[in-house]
């Protein structure tokens, strides 16, 4: 009998050899294999990190909420974000850390219930990758709003 395990951060079912991190690496591989998949790289990295908040500092997590909202609701492109916020996130000027540490990292209390995780993106396959990542990002925005982490507009 196989025991179902769950990712301690996002709650996704974890199978042997199919952890969230392994799925993330597979997605990055798909971006390398098919350059058209690079179009959603910004969403892939952001979504993975938002679902695994310990990768971010508390401030980094809040910045991630803003990015997700900008990308999905305002249609801001990664290039526009770099132009608009480059000085704010420059490591030489920034007074806060993006990356989480064991002592200071992002968390969700109460936890967020995600309707989509890396598992569904991988299950949809490389040929549906861009659409799957966009659906993942949209589902995350809804989950974060429903949970109260991103204000409803």
């Amino acid at each position: 009998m196989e025991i179902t395990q769950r990712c301690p951060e996002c709650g996704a079912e974890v199978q042997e050899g199919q952890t969230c991190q392994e799925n993330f690496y597979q997605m990055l591989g798909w971006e390398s294999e098919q350059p058209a998949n690079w179009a959603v790289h910004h969403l892939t990295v952001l979504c993975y990190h938002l679902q695994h908040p310990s990768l971010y500092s508390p401030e980094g997590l809040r910045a991630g909420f803003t990015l997700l909202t900008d990308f999905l609701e305002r249609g801001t492109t990664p290039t526009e974000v770099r132009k608009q916020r480059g000085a704010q996130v420059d490591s030489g000027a920034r007074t806060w850390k993006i990356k989480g540490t064991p002592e200071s990292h992002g968390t969700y209390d109460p936890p967020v219930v995600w309707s989509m995780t890396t598992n569904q993106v991988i299950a949809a396959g490389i040929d549906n990758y861009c659409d799957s990542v966009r659906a993942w990002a949209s589902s995350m925005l809804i989950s974060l709003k429903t949970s109260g982490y991103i204000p409803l507009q």
Side-chain angles (χ1 to χ4, degrees), residues 7-28:
C7 173
E9 289 206 76
C10 74
E13 285 191 19
V14 176
Q15 313 270 321
E16 187 173 329
Q18 189 189 356
T19 64
C20 295
Q21 186 177 42
E22 291 299 319
N23 287 343
F24 179 62
Y25 292 153
Q26 178 64 65
M27 289 186 260
L28 297 179

Side-chain angles (χ1 to χ4, degrees), residues 26 29 32 34 37 49 55 59 62 76 89 108 126 133 150:
Q26 178 64 65
S32 295
Q34 291 187 7
N37 286 340
H49 282 71
L55 297 172
E59 298 85 0
R62 287 190 294 275
T76 309
V89 296
Y108 295 117
I126 190 171
V133 170
I150 293 178

Side-chain angles (χ1 to χ4, degrees), residues 35 38 65 78 101 117:
W38 184 256
F65 298 156
T101 65
T117 65

Side-chain angles (χ1 to χ4, degrees), residues 40-107:
V40 295
H41 178 75
H42 62 294
L43 294 175
T44 300
V45 173
L46 179 61
C47 289
Y48 178 73
H49 282 71
L50 287 173
Q51 281 190 339
H52 300 87
S54 70
L55 297 172
Y56 278 135
S57 68
E59 298 85 0
L61 187 61
R62 287 190 294 275
F65 298 156
T66 301
L67 280 175
L68 187 65
T69 303
D70 285 349
F71 290 145
L72 297 182
E73 292 187 341
R74 295 179 186 88
T76 309
T77 67
T79 301
E80 291 169 333
V81 167
R82 283 190 289 278
K83 286 179 185 175
Q84 294 169 1
R85 296 199 190 101
Q88 295 171 351
V89 296
D90 181 306
S91 60
R94 181 173 20 90
T95 59
W96 52 278
K97 294 187 182 296
I98 293 174
K99 186 178 177 187
T101 65
E103 300 79 32
S104 178
H105 56 81
T107 61

